[in-house]
Amino acid sequence: MTTPTNDAAQFPPHGRAASDARWYYVALVTAAIAISYFDRQTLPVAVAAIQRSIPLSNQQFSWLQFAFLIPYAAMYAGGGRMLDLVGTRRGFILIMLWWSVACALHGLATSFGFLLLARCLLGMGEGGGFPAAARVVAEWVPLARRSTAMGIINAGTAVGSVLAPPLIGIVLLTSGWRMVFFASGAIGLLWVLWWSRSYRGTSTASIALLDAGQRDARGLAQQLSFADLVAMRRVQVLVFAKFLSDSAWYFYLFWLPKYLYDVRGFDIKHISYYAWIPYAASGVGSFLGGWFSSRLLTAGHSLDFARKAALGLSAAFMPVVILVPHVRVGWALALFSIAFFCQQSWSGLIMTLPADIFPLSAVGTVSGLVGFGGAIGGALFGLVVGFLLGQGFGYGTLFLIVGSFHIIGFLAILLLGGRVQPLKSPDLIAIES
């Protein structure tokens, strides 16, 4: 008898019923990711209003992002392992409960120190979101559709980010900045009820059937230790690539509203009207990047080509942000939109790779390690941003730096990451180490 790896011991439905359940769960996880990005955008969008009660320098603002990203990174790695141990359903309940309460705590802040603590707790909770998403995809979605599923889920980042400026702006103008955090936390708690009543896991045997011909029984059954995974070169390359790309992404995510406030002269109304546009582009990129890779795969190309071609195209257009300081604000928003489109296409694809390559028993852990690298990159580069701005450097220098990160990350994957293909035997695993 096969030992279940998740919360439910029964096999999933087959045929049309299985397909319906599969995409329902993808939608459920997409909503969770949207809530997480809405929650993390509350502070950047509301910062101008918060500063009237709690003064914040550029350096303090960068420390708030650091306080979010360091525990976020730790929980990305630790949370992924936790999910592999306790299962997707229970793990996601714990994760979402934690981050929703932490988000609401921001509304009680009266000092920089309290904001720092609340930001830290929020990062601890949200770090488990994408490892949980990767496990849902590995549990329910066949290989040929995984990049599409992850692209849809990753588009949730755009949904949350698009909704944040206008909705937060309305709350700021009507109820004050504290209500922003209370309302955001309440939405997360409602999702927990939805998830707990809806989600059912699957089993290792079901995955073997789902990916028949793509994975063999030995590859699925192989238990990889944490040390084994950390020592694998392809894991290290993915971590490095995510370290670089998320350094750029968190710079855009956390500093774009502040850039528009400080450099382009935007106020809360302008942020509400226009700041959502690049995030909307990121959602389109998330979906189209995953769809394009799946299309290449179903057209007969290898998994390796399908993933790397889409990643390479995504990376190729990221340097357009270098032009941002030299153009009018309308064109600047257009360039940001291109960068956000390509970044989230890249992000969805790179977070699909753990499910493409590793058995289910290791997907959460590998996804966590990759996300850990990204969050650490974002945290460290955020401090660099605060330091450089404090020393008189302009945003032009920062755009020049971040414009190169995805290119370097893609070259690392292309030259050092090996072929994208499922691990099928202990012998192959040994070779990969």
Side-chain angles (χ1 to χ4, degrees):
M1 180 179 294
T2 302
T3 302
T5 58
N6 308 293
D7 306 279
Q10 77 270 16
F11 287 88
H14 297 284
R16 183 178 178 85
S19 180
D20 290 345
R22 178 182 308 149
W23 297 110
Y24 176 74
Y25 293 150
V26 167
L28 193 61
V29 175
T30 302
I33 298 302
I35 293 169
S36 76
Y37 265 68
F38 188 97
D39 289 353
R40 71 183 68 180
Q41 281 295 90
T42 48
L43 180 66
V45 175
V47 65
I50 294 171
Q51 285 178 307
R52 300 189 190 105
S53 303
I54 306 172
L56 297 172
S57 66
N58 279 332
Q59 193 67 63
Q60 286 176 315
F61 185 73
S62 70
W63 277 110
L64 288 173
Q65 310 320 322
F66 185 84
F68 172 86
L69 286 169
I70 290 298
Y72 179 80
M75 189 59 183
Y76 224 128
R81 196 60 174 173
M82 180 269 289
L83 285 156
D84 285 339
L85 294 174
V86 307
T88 309
R89 181 177 179 275
R90 284 176 288 182
F92 220 149
I93 288 172
L94 293 173
I95 289 164
M96 183 65 107
L97 280 173
W98 183 284
W99 97 48
S100 298
V101 172
C103 185
L105 281 176
H106 287 67
L108 302 176
T110 57
S111 66
F112 170 72
F114 197 115
L115 280 177
L116 203 70
L117 174 62
R119 210 68 184 159
C120 176
L121 294 174
L122 181 64
M124 289 176 65
E126 291 202 3
F130 269 103
R135 277 190 60 92
V136 172
V137 170
E139 286 175 3
W140 282 95
V141 183
L143 189 65
R145 295 287 180 265
R146 282 182 182 162
S147 66
T148 299
M150 189 58 77
I152 293 170
I153 289 170
N154 199 52
T157 64
V159 174
S161 299
V162 166
L163 292 176
L167 293 184
I168 292 173
I170 291 171
V171 176
L172 288 173
L173 294 171
T174 58
S175 302
W177 66 267
R178 297 184 189 278
M179 184 55 65
V180 168
F181 297 100
F182 297 148
S184 299
I187 292 170
L189 296 177
L190 290 175
W191 184 92
V192 171
L193 294 176
W194 183 20
W195 172 265
S196 62
R197 293 176 64 88
S198 300
Y199 189 76
R200 296 294 179 267
T202 183
S203 69
T204 301
S206 301
I207 296 303
L209 292 171
L210 194 65
D211 284 348
Q214 308 269 356
R215 300 175 185 265
D216 61 23
R218 288 183 300 165
L220 276 168
Q222 179 71 30
Q223 296 297 309
L224 296 167
S225 71
F226 187 81
D228 291 334
L229 293 169
V230 172
M232 293 177 70
R233 185 176 67 179
R234 66 169 58 199
V235 173
Q236 295 168 359
V237 169
L238 290 177
V239 170
F240 173 73
K242 188 71 167 168
F243 176 93
L244 289 176
S245 63
D246 274 15
S247 295
W249 173 235
Y250 285 114
F251 168 68
Y252 302 139
L253 186 68
F254 292 140
W255 289 86
L256 175 59
K258 204 166 192 312
Y259 168 76
L260 295 175
Y261 282 132
D262 295 346
V263 178
R264 298 293 185 163
F266 278 34
D267 57 21
I268 291 174
K269 288 184 178 180
H270 284 104
I271 291 291
S272 299
Y273 293 156
Y274 301 111
W276 61 270
I277 295 173
Y279 299 109
S282 75
V284 178
S286 293
F287 175 75
L288 288 183
W291 172 85
F292 176 65
S293 184
S294 289
R295 181 72 173 175
L296 290 175
L297 194 58
T298 57
H301 294 284
S302 68
L303 179 64
D304 182 70
F305 179 84
R307 298 297 188 246
K308 288 179 179 176
L311 282 167
L313 282 174
S314 300
F317 288 93
M318 292 302 297
V320 298
V321 296
I322 296 172
L323 301 175
V324 164
H326 310 294
V327 297
R328 294 180 179 179
V329 66
W331 284 107
L333 287 171
L335 293 174
F336 278 128
S337 296
I338 294 171
F340 278 49
F341 177 102
C342 294
Q343 151 60 33
Q344 288 305 87
S345 171
W346 165 282
S347 181
L349 289 161
I350 203 169
M351 291 307 295
T352 306
L353 296 182
D356 287 336
I357 297 168
F358 295 91
L360 178 61
S361 60
V363 168
T365 301
V366 176
S367 298
L369 289 169
V370 174
F372 172 84
I376 290 294
L380 295 179
F381 189 68
L383 292 182
V384 171
V385 171
F387 173 79
L388 291 177
L389 291 176
Q391 295 299 310
F393 289 89
Y395 279 92
T397 301
L398 299 172
F399 291 132
L400 181 63
I401 295 171
V402 299
S404 67
F405 283 169
H406 288 72
I407 299 293
I408 298 171
F410 176 68
L411 289 175
I413 291 173
L414 190 65
L415 300 176
L416 303 175
R419 289 184 60 81
V420 178
Q421 60 186 9
L423 298 181
K424 295 182 179 179
S425 71
D427 293 336
L428 181 56
I429 291 169
I431 291 172
E432 291 290 329
S433 299

